[in-house]
Amino acid sequence: MDIAEHRIADVVVVAPVGPIDFPNAQHLERALAPLLGRDAAVQALVLDFHDVVYVSSMGLRVLMVAAKNLRARNARIAVAALQPVVVEIFDIARFAHVLEVFPTVRDAVAALSPSALAAWDASR
Amino acid sequence: MKLVRFWGTRGSLPVALTTADVRAKVMAALRGASGRTFASEEELDSYVNALAPEVAGTYGGHTSCVEIETGRSEYVLCDLGSGVRPFGQRALARHGPSSPQTYHVFMSHLHWDHIMGFPFFTPAYIPGNRIRIYGVHEGLEEALRRQHGAPSFPVDFSALGADIEFVGLEAGATREVAGIAVTPMLQRHAGDSYGYRFAGDGRSFVYSTDSEHALFDLEETRRFVDFFRDADLVVFDAMYSLADAISVKADWGHSSNIVGVELCQMAGARELCLFHHEPVHGDAAIERVLAEARRFEEISRKGRPLKVTAAYDGMEIAL
Protein backbone atom coordinates (compact mmCIF):
# COMPACT_ATOMS: atom_id res chain seq x y z
CA MET A 1 0.00 0.00 0.00
CA ASP A 2 1.31 3.45 -0.88
CA ILE A 3 1.30 5.74 2.13
CA ALA A 4 2.52 9.32 1.65
CA GLU A 5 3.51 11.41 4.63
CA HIS A 6 4.37 15.09 4.91
CA ARG A 7 4.70 17.57 7.74
CA ILE A 8 3.16 21.04 7.87
CA ALA A 9 4.38 22.93 10.94
CA ASP A 10 3.26 20.74 13.88
CA VAL A 11 0.79 18.70 11.80
CA VAL A 12 1.63 15.45 10.05
CA VAL A 13 -0.56 14.48 7.12
CA VAL A 14 -0.63 10.79 6.23
CA ALA A 15 -2.29 9.79 2.97
CA PRO A 16 -2.82 6.07 2.33
CA VAL A 17 -3.92 4.90 -1.10
CA GLY A 18 -6.27 1.99 -1.78
CA PRO A 19 -8.49 -0.21 0.37
CA ILE A 20 -7.52 -0.52 4.03
CA ASP A 21 -8.36 -4.19 4.23
CA PHE A 22 -6.59 -6.78 6.33
CA PRO A 23 -3.06 -6.67 4.80
CA ASN A 24 -3.14 -2.92 4.17
CA ALA A 25 -4.29 -2.26 7.73
CA GLN A 26 -1.05 -3.83 8.91
CA HIS A 27 0.93 -1.57 6.54
CA LEU A 28 -0.89 1.49 7.83
CA GLU A 29 -0.33 0.42 11.43
CA ARG A 30 3.42 0.13 10.81
CA ALA A 31 3.48 3.51 9.04
CA LEU A 32 1.70 5.27 11.90
CA ALA A 33 3.65 3.61 14.72
CA PRO A 34 6.57 6.11 14.71
CA LEU A 35 4.10 9.00 14.95
CA LEU A 36 2.23 7.71 17.96
CA GLY A 37 4.87 7.16 20.63
CA ARG A 38 5.55 9.51 23.50
CA ASP A 39 8.81 10.62 21.87
CA ALA A 40 7.18 11.54 18.58
CA ALA A 41 7.03 15.30 18.10
CA VAL A 42 3.62 15.12 16.51
CA GLN A 43 0.95 17.30 18.03
CA ALA A 44 -1.65 16.66 15.36
CA LEU A 45 -2.22 13.91 12.82
CA VAL A 46 -4.46 14.27 9.79
CA LEU A 47 -5.32 11.17 7.81
CA ASP A 48 -6.03 12.17 4.23
CA PHE A 49 -8.50 9.53 3.02
CA HIS A 50 -9.07 10.99 -0.44
CA ASP A 51 -7.66 7.86 -2.07
CA VAL A 52 -9.03 5.33 0.41
CA VAL A 53 -11.79 3.31 -1.20
CA TYR A 54 -12.65 0.90 1.63
CA VAL A 55 -11.92 0.37 5.34
CA SER A 56 -12.36 -2.97 7.09
CA SER A 57 -12.74 -3.55 10.82
CA MET A 58 -8.97 -4.07 10.99
CA GLY A 59 -8.43 -0.68 9.39
CA LEU A 60 -10.87 0.97 11.77
CA ARG A 61 -9.06 -0.65 14.68
CA VAL A 62 -5.78 0.93 13.49
CA LEU A 63 -7.48 4.33 13.55
CA MET A 64 -8.86 3.67 17.03
CA VAL A 65 -5.42 2.71 18.35
CA ALA A 66 -3.89 5.83 16.79
CA ALA A 67 -6.56 8.02 18.40
CA LYS A 68 -6.04 6.44 21.82
CA ASN A 69 -2.27 6.86 21.68
CA LEU A 70 -2.37 10.45 20.50
CA ARG A 71 -5.02 11.51 22.99
CA ALA A 72 -3.04 9.92 25.80
CA ARG A 73 -0.43 12.62 25.26
CA ASN A 74 -2.93 15.38 24.42
CA ALA A 75 -2.24 15.29 20.70
CA ARG A 76 -5.08 15.39 18.19
CA ILE A 77 -6.17 13.26 15.26
CA ALA A 78 -8.61 13.84 12.42
CA VAL A 79 -9.66 12.17 9.21
CA ALA A 80 -10.37 14.16 6.07
CA ALA A 81 -11.70 13.87 2.52
CA LEU A 82 -13.61 10.61 2.96
CA GLN A 83 -15.05 8.92 -0.12
CA PRO A 84 -18.84 8.40 0.11
CA VAL A 85 -18.50 4.65 0.70
CA VAL A 86 -16.04 5.26 3.54
CA VAL A 87 -18.46 7.80 5.03
CA GLU A 88 -21.03 4.99 5.04
CA ILE A 89 -18.64 2.60 6.75
CA PHE A 90 -17.82 5.23 9.39
CA ASP A 91 -21.55 5.69 10.00
CA ILE A 92 -22.21 1.95 10.28
CA ALA A 93 -19.28 1.54 12.69
CA ARG A 94 -20.32 4.70 14.62
CA PHE A 95 -16.81 6.07 14.09
CA ALA A 96 -17.96 9.65 13.70
CA HIS A 97 -18.17 9.62 17.51
CA VAL A 98 -14.57 8.45 17.77
CA LEU A 99 -12.70 10.59 15.26
CA GLU A 100 -13.10 14.13 14.07
CA VAL A 101 -14.04 14.03 10.40
CA PHE A 102 -13.57 16.95 8.01
CA PRO A 103 -14.61 17.45 4.37
CA THR A 104 -11.10 18.48 3.26
CA VAL A 105 -7.54 18.20 4.52
CA ARG A 106 -7.39 22.00 4.72
CA ASP A 107 -10.44 22.03 7.02
CA ALA A 108 -8.77 19.42 9.23
CA VAL A 109 -5.48 21.33 9.39
CA ALA A 110 -7.37 24.54 10.18
CA ALA A 111 -9.21 22.87 13.04
CA LEU A 112 -6.21 21.12 14.53
CA SER A 113 -3.55 23.83 14.17
CA PRO A 114 -4.29 27.39 13.00
CA SER A 115 -0.55 28.03 12.78
CA ALA A 116 -0.14 25.12 10.39
CA LEU A 117 -2.96 26.44 8.24
CA ALA A 118 -0.86 29.39 7.10
CA ALA A 119 1.94 27.03 6.12
CA TRP A 120 -0.57 24.78 4.35
CA ASP A 121 -2.02 27.70 2.36
CA ALA A 122 1.45 28.97 1.53
CA SER A 123 2.44 25.59 0.18
CA ARG A 124 -0.53 25.37 -2.22
CA MET B 1 -31.61 -30.53 11.30
CA LYS B 2 -34.64 -28.78 9.86
CA LEU B 3 -34.87 -25.32 11.31
CA VAL B 4 -33.81 -22.98 14.06
CA ARG B 5 -36.44 -21.29 16.21
CA PHE B 6 -35.69 -18.31 18.44
CA TRP B 7 -37.33 -18.08 21.86
CA GLY B 8 -35.08 -15.38 23.30
CA THR B 9 -32.80 -13.03 21.40
CA ARG B 10 -32.02 -10.18 23.81
CA GLY B 11 -28.68 -9.63 25.49
CA SER B 12 -27.98 -9.15 29.18
CA LEU B 13 -31.47 -8.50 30.51
CA PRO B 14 -35.06 -9.18 29.45
CA VAL B 15 -36.94 -6.14 28.20
CA ALA B 16 -40.56 -5.39 27.35
CA LEU B 17 -42.33 -2.88 25.15
CA THR B 18 -43.73 0.06 27.07
CA THR B 19 -47.15 1.67 26.58
CA ALA B 20 -45.38 4.48 24.74
CA ASP B 21 -43.71 1.97 22.41
CA VAL B 22 -47.03 0.29 21.57
CA ARG B 23 -48.76 3.63 21.13
CA ALA B 24 -46.07 4.76 18.67
CA LYS B 25 -46.58 1.57 16.63
CA VAL B 26 -50.38 1.96 16.61
CA MET B 27 -50.12 5.58 15.56
CA ALA B 28 -47.67 4.78 12.77
CA ALA B 29 -49.98 2.03 11.48
CA LEU B 30 -53.04 4.29 11.62
CA ARG B 31 -51.16 7.11 9.95
CA GLY B 32 -50.25 4.77 7.10
CA ALA B 33 -53.86 3.65 6.78
CA SER B 34 -55.26 7.18 6.64
CA GLY B 35 -58.01 7.39 4.02
CA ARG B 36 -57.95 3.65 3.31
CA THR B 37 -60.69 1.13 3.85
CA PHE B 38 -60.36 -2.62 4.18
CA ALA B 39 -63.12 -4.68 2.60
CA SER B 40 -61.95 -7.96 4.12
CA GLU B 41 -59.69 -9.49 6.73
CA GLU B 42 -57.38 -10.47 3.86
CA GLU B 43 -56.98 -6.85 2.77
CA LEU B 44 -56.26 -5.85 6.34
CA ASP B 45 -53.77 -8.68 6.64
CA SER B 46 -52.03 -7.54 3.45
CA TYR B 47 -51.80 -4.00 4.77
CA VAL B 48 -50.26 -5.13 8.06
CA ASN B 49 -47.84 -7.44 6.27
CA ALA B 50 -46.59 -4.51 4.21
CA LEU B 51 -45.86 -2.34 7.25
CA ALA B 52 -42.26 -1.84 8.36
CA PRO B 53 -41.13 -4.54 10.82
CA GLU B 54 -40.63 -2.02 13.62
CA VAL B 55 -44.27 -0.91 13.17
CA ALA B 56 -46.05 -4.23 12.73
CA GLY B 57 -43.89 -6.31 15.05
CA THR B 58 -41.23 -6.32 17.70
CA TYR B 59 -37.92 -8.05 18.20
CA GLY B 60 -39.08 -9.16 21.63
CA GLY B 61 -37.35 -9.11 24.93
CA HIS B 62 -36.51 -12.59 26.19
CA THR B 63 -32.89 -13.45 26.83
CA SER B 64 -31.02 -16.15 24.93
CA CYS B 65 -32.81 -19.39 24.12
CA VAL B 66 -32.65 -21.01 20.68
CA GLU B 67 -34.23 -24.28 19.60
CA ILE B 68 -32.90 -26.55 16.87
CA GLU B 69 -35.68 -28.62 15.33
CA THR B 70 -33.96 -31.85 14.45
CA GLY B 71 -36.83 -33.77 12.89
CA ARG B 72 -36.51 -36.29 15.73
CA SER B 73 -38.54 -36.50 18.89
CA GLU B 74 -35.89 -35.10 21.25
CA TYR B 75 -35.62 -31.37 21.76
CA VAL B 76 -32.33 -29.51 21.35
CA LEU B 77 -31.79 -26.05 22.80
CA CYS B 78 -29.03 -23.50 23.18
CA ASP B 79 -29.03 -21.64 26.51
CA LEU B 80 -31.60 -21.24 29.25
CA GLY B 81 -32.38 -17.52 29.13
CA SER B 82 -35.87 -16.26 29.87
CA GLY B 83 -36.98 -17.48 26.43
CA VAL B 84 -37.00 -21.05 27.74
CA ARG B 85 -40.19 -20.27 29.68
CA PRO B 86 -42.41 -19.83 26.57
CA PHE B 87 -40.55 -22.72 24.94
CA GLY B 88 -41.51 -24.94 27.88
CA GLN B 89 -45.11 -23.74 27.77
CA ARG B 90 -45.35 -24.62 24.11
CA ALA B 91 -43.82 -28.06 24.65
CA LEU B 92 -46.34 -28.74 27.41
CA ALA B 93 -49.24 -27.51 25.28
CA ARG B 94 -48.06 -29.78 22.49
CA HIS B 95 -47.49 -32.98 24.44
CA GLY B 96 -49.44 -32.51 27.67
CA PRO B 97 -47.96 -33.04 31.13
CA SER B 98 -48.14 -36.83 31.10
CA SER B 99 -46.11 -37.47 27.95
CA PRO B 100 -42.43 -37.53 28.96
CA GLN B 101 -39.98 -35.72 26.66
CA THR B 102 -36.20 -35.41 26.39
CA TYR B 103 -34.55 -32.01 26.29
CA HIS B 104 -30.87 -31.49 25.39
CA VAL B 105 -29.54 -28.05 26.31
CA PHE B 106 -26.14 -26.66 25.25
CA MET B 107 -24.89 -23.83 27.46
CA SER B 108 -22.73 -21.06 26.01
CA HIS B 109 -21.78 -19.92 29.51
CA LEU B 110 -23.20 -19.34 32.95
CA HIS B 111 -23.91 -15.63 33.07
CA TRP B 112 -27.28 -14.82 34.54
CA ASP B 113 -29.07 -13.90 31.33
CA HIS B 114 -28.26 -17.36 29.94
CA ILE B 115 -29.52 -19.38 32.92
CA MET B 116 -32.31 -17.23 34.38
CA GLY B 117 -35.13 -19.03 32.57
CA PHE B 118 -34.52 -22.46 34.06
CA PRO B 119 -36.51 -21.95 37.30
CA PHE B 120 -39.49 -21.12 35.05
CA PHE B 121 -39.03 -24.07 32.69
CA THR B 122 -42.10 -26.05 33.66
CA PRO B 123 -41.02 -29.40 32.15
CA ALA B 124 -38.21 -29.46 34.74
CA TYR B 125 -40.85 -29.89 37.47
CA ILE B 126 -42.58 -32.85 35.85
CA PRO B 127 -41.41 -36.40 36.66
CA GLY B 128 -40.65 -38.47 33.60
CA ASN B 129 -39.06 -35.71 31.58
CA ARG B 130 -35.35 -36.11 30.84
CA ILE B 131 -33.17 -32.99 30.77
CA ARG B 132 -29.53 -33.17 29.77
CA ILE B 133 -27.59 -29.94 30.22
CA TYR B 134 -24.29 -29.84 28.37
CA GLY B 135 -21.47 -27.38 28.87
CA VAL B 136 -17.72 -26.91 29.09
CA HIS B 137 -17.69 -24.84 32.30
CA GLU B 138 -16.77 -26.75 35.44
CA GLY B 139 -19.27 -24.74 37.48
CA LEU B 140 -22.24 -25.61 35.25
CA GLU B 141 -24.22 -27.62 37.79
CA GLU B 142 -23.40 -25.31 40.68
CA ALA B 143 -24.57 -22.23 38.75
CA LEU B 144 -27.95 -23.77 37.97
CA ARG B 145 -28.46 -25.19 41.45
CA ARG B 146 -27.45 -21.93 43.14
CA GLN B 147 -30.09 -19.79 41.41
CA HIS B 148 -32.78 -22.14 42.75
CA GLY B 149 -31.57 -21.68 46.31
CA ALA B 150 -32.83 -19.21 48.91
CA PRO B 151 -33.04 -16.28 48.90
CA SER B 152 -32.99 -16.14 45.09
CA PHE B 153 -35.86 -18.57 44.40
CA PRO B 154 -38.45 -20.33 46.58
CA VAL B 155 -38.20 -23.82 45.06
CA ASP B 156 -34.97 -25.70 45.64
CA PHE B 157 -33.33 -27.51 42.75
CA SER B 158 -33.80 -30.80 44.60
CA ALA B 159 -37.57 -30.35 44.26
CA LEU B 160 -37.45 -30.55 40.46
CA GLY B 161 -39.21 -33.70 39.33
CA ALA B 162 -37.50 -34.30 36.00
CA ASP B 163 -34.48 -36.54 35.55
CA ILE B 164 -31.76 -33.87 35.18
CA GLU B 165 -28.14 -34.62 34.35
CA PHE B 166 -25.21 -32.34 33.69
CA VAL B 167 -22.84 -33.45 30.96
CA GLY B 168 -19.35 -32.00 30.70
CA LEU B 169 -17.99 -31.25 27.23
CA GLU B 170 -14.50 -30.53 26.01
CA ALA B 171 -13.75 -27.64 23.68
CA GLY B 172 -12.90 -28.92 20.22
CA ALA B 173 -14.23 -32.42 20.89
CA THR B 174 -17.24 -33.44 18.80
CA ARG B 175 -20.06 -35.35 20.46
CA GLU B 176 -23.13 -36.96 18.93
CA VAL B 177 -26.40 -35.88 20.57
CA ALA B 178 -29.89 -36.49 19.19
CA GLY B 179 -28.44 -37.36 15.80
CA ILE B 180 -26.40 -34.13 15.61
CA ALA B 181 -22.62 -33.75 15.78
CA VAL B 182 -21.94 -30.96 18.28
CA THR B 183 -18.57 -29.22 18.67
CA PRO B 184 -17.92 -26.49 21.26
CA MET B 185 -15.30 -23.78 20.76
CA LEU B 186 -13.78 -21.39 23.29
CA GLN B 187 -14.75 -17.74 22.86
CA ARG B 188 -13.47 -14.49 24.35
CA HIS B 189 -15.83 -13.47 27.18
CA ALA B 190 -15.47 -12.82 30.92
CA GLY B 191 -15.27 -16.26 32.52
CA ASP B 192 -15.11 -17.79 29.01
CA SER B 193 -17.97 -18.67 26.73
CA TYR B 194 -18.34 -21.42 24.15
CA GLY B 195 -19.79 -21.35 20.68
CA TYR B 196 -21.33 -24.52 19.25
CA ARG B 197 -21.25 -25.90 15.75
CA PHE B 198 -24.07 -28.34 15.03
CA ALA B 199 -23.91 -30.59 11.98
CA GLY B 200 -26.45 -33.11 10.79
CA ASP B 201 -28.54 -34.15 7.80
CA GLY B 202 -26.14 -32.27 5.53
CA ARG B 203 -26.75 -28.99 7.32
CA SER B 204 -24.60 -26.94 9.71
CA PHE B 205 -25.55 -24.32 12.25
CA VAL B 206 -23.26 -22.21 14.44
CA TYR B 207 -24.42 -20.63 17.69
CA SER B 208 -21.86 -18.01 18.67
CA THR B 209 -23.05 -15.56 21.27
CA ASP B 210 -21.31 -13.59 24.00
CA SER B 211 -18.11 -13.56 22.02
CA GLU B 212 -15.73 -10.67 21.59
CA HIS B 213 -13.36 -10.70 18.63
CA ALA B 214 -9.84 -9.40 19.05
CA LEU B 215 -9.17 -7.97 15.63
CA PHE B 216 -5.41 -7.98 16.22
CA ASP B 217 -5.33 -11.73 16.95
CA LEU B 218 -5.03 -13.32 13.53
CA GLU B 219 -4.88 -16.85 14.90
CA GLU B 220 -8.17 -16.32 16.70
CA THR B 221 -9.73 -14.92 13.53
CA ARG B 222 -8.61 -18.03 11.63
CA ARG B 223 -10.14 -20.27 14.33
CA PHE B 224 -13.50 -18.53 13.98
CA VAL B 225 -13.41 -18.57 10.19
CA ASP B 226 -12.80 -22.34 10.34
CA PHE B 227 -15.59 -22.74 12.92
CA PHE B 228 -18.04 -20.81 10.72
CA ARG B 229 -16.82 -22.46 7.49
CA ASP B 230 -19.65 -22.96 4.95
CA ALA B 231 -22.28 -22.89 7.73
CA ASP B 232 -25.89 -22.67 6.61
CA LEU B 233 -26.57 -20.31 9.49
CA VAL B 234 -24.40 -18.40 11.97
CA VAL B 235 -26.14 -16.84 14.97
CA PHE B 236 -23.78 -14.07 16.01
CA ASP B 237 -23.49 -11.68 18.94
CA ALA B 238 -23.90 -8.20 17.39
CA MET B 239 -24.70 -6.32 20.57
CA TYR B 240 -22.48 -3.28 20.05
CA SER B 241 -21.36 -0.99 17.28
CA LEU B 242 -17.80 -1.67 16.15
CA ALA B 243 -16.66 1.65 17.66
CA ASP B 244 -18.09 0.75 21.08
CA ALA B 245 -16.81 -2.84 20.91
CA ILE B 246 -13.20 -1.70 20.46
CA SER B 247 -13.23 1.39 22.69
CA VAL B 248 -15.51 2.11 25.66
CA LYS B 249 -16.87 -1.45 25.71
CA ALA B 250 -13.65 -3.27 24.88
CA ASP B 251 -13.29 -6.40 27.04
CA TRP B 252 -17.05 -6.45 27.74
CA GLY B 253 -17.20 -9.64 25.71
CA HIS B 254 -19.43 -8.77 22.77
CA SER B 255 -19.12 -8.05 19.08
CA SER B 256 -20.64 -6.02 16.25
CA ASN B 257 -22.57 -6.39 13.01
CA ILE B 258 -19.49 -5.42 10.98
CA VAL B 259 -17.29 -8.17 12.43
CA GLY B 260 -20.12 -10.67 11.99
CA VAL B 261 -20.37 -9.83 8.29
CA GLU B 262 -16.60 -10.02 7.78
CA LEU B 263 -16.16 -13.38 9.55
CA CYS B 264 -19.11 -14.94 7.72
CA GLN B 265 -17.86 -13.64 4.38
CA MET B 266 -14.41 -15.08 5.02
CA ALA B 267 -15.98 -18.37 6.07
CA GLY B 268 -18.35 -18.59 3.11
CA ALA B 269 -21.37 -18.91 5.42
CA ARG B 270 -24.82 -18.75 3.83
CA GLU B 271 -26.70 -16.69 6.42
CA LEU B 272 -25.70 -14.44 9.30
CA CYS B 273 -28.32 -13.81 11.97
CA LEU B 274 -27.63 -10.90 14.33
CA PHE B 275 -28.35 -11.91 17.93
CA HIS B 276 -28.00 -10.86 21.60
CA HIS B 277 -29.53 -7.45 20.94
CA GLU B 278 -28.55 -4.56 23.16
CA PRO B 279 -31.36 -4.16 25.76
CA VAL B 280 -31.39 -0.37 25.44
CA HIS B 281 -32.20 -0.69 21.73
CA GLY B 282 -35.82 -0.35 20.65
CA ASP B 283 -37.15 -2.04 17.53
CA ALA B 284 -36.19 0.86 15.26
CA ALA B 285 -32.61 0.80 16.53
CA ILE B 286 -32.28 -2.95 15.89
CA GLU B 287 -33.84 -2.47 12.47
CA ARG B 288 -31.17 0.14 11.74
CA VAL B 289 -28.37 -2.20 12.87
CA LEU B 290 -29.78 -4.82 10.50
CA ALA B 291 -30.10 -2.42 7.55
CA GLU B 292 -26.54 -1.22 8.11
CA ALA B 293 -25.22 -4.78 8.33
CA ARG B 294 -26.88 -5.55 5.00
CA ARG B 295 -25.37 -2.43 3.46
CA PHE B 296 -21.92 -3.30 4.83
CA GLU B 297 -22.30 -6.78 3.35
CA GLU B 298 -22.93 -5.19 -0.06
CA ILE B 299 -19.95 -2.88 0.28
CA SER B 300 -17.54 -5.59 1.42
CA ARG B 301 -18.83 -8.46 -0.73
CA LYS B 302 -16.24 -10.28 -2.84
CA GLY B 303 -17.91 -13.61 -3.50
CA ARG B 304 -21.46 -14.87 -3.27
CA PRO B 305 -23.95 -12.76 -1.30
CA LEU B 306 -24.32 -13.40 2.43
CA LYS B 307 -27.91 -13.27 3.65
CA VAL B 308 -28.17 -11.11 6.78
CA THR B 309 -31.08 -11.26 9.21
CA ALA B 310 -31.74 -10.15 12.79
CA ALA B 311 -33.27 -12.61 15.25
CA TYR B 312 -36.58 -11.88 16.96
CA ASP B 313 -38.49 -13.91 19.51
CA GLY B 314 -40.61 -16.36 17.53
CA MET B 315 -38.51 -16.22 14.36
CA GLU B 316 -37.83 -19.44 12.47
CA ILE B 317 -35.03 -20.00 9.97
CA ALA B 318 -35.09 -23.09 7.77
CA LEU B 319 -31.74 -24.81 7.42
Side-chain angles (χ1 to χ4, degrees), chain B residues 65-120:
Chain B
C65 183
V66 175
E67 176 190 1
I68 304 167
E69 199 170 293
T70 62
R72 295 168 174 83
S73 61
E74 299 182 345
Y75 285 99
V76 177
L77 291 176
C78 295
D79 280 335
L80 293 166
S82 67
V84 81
R85 186 192 60 76
F87 163 78
Q89 295 305 117
R90 200 196 68 146
L92 276 179
R94 191 171 167 192
H95 304 291
S98 55
S99 173
Q101 302 297 316
T102 297
Y103 302 89
H104 300 281
V105 186
F106 293 88
M107 299 298 299
S108 65
H109 65 311
L110 307 176
H111 282 165
W112 190 33
D113 54 321
H114 294 258
I115 64 173
M116 60 168 46
F118 193 61
F120 304 91

Side-chain angles (χ1 to χ4, degrees), chain B residues 124-163:
Chain B
Y125 293 82
I126 300 174
N129 283 328
R130 294 173 69 240
I131 301 173
R132 299 291 176 264
I133 303 175
Y134 304 80
V136 184
H137 293 82
E138 285 188 3
L140 173 63
E141 181 168 353
E142 182 197 353
L144 284 161
R145 285 183 177 275
R146 191 173 51 199
Q147 72 171 348
H148 269 269
S152 300
F153 198 70
V155 183
D156 193 77
F157 193 93
S158 60
L160 298 177
D163 168 19

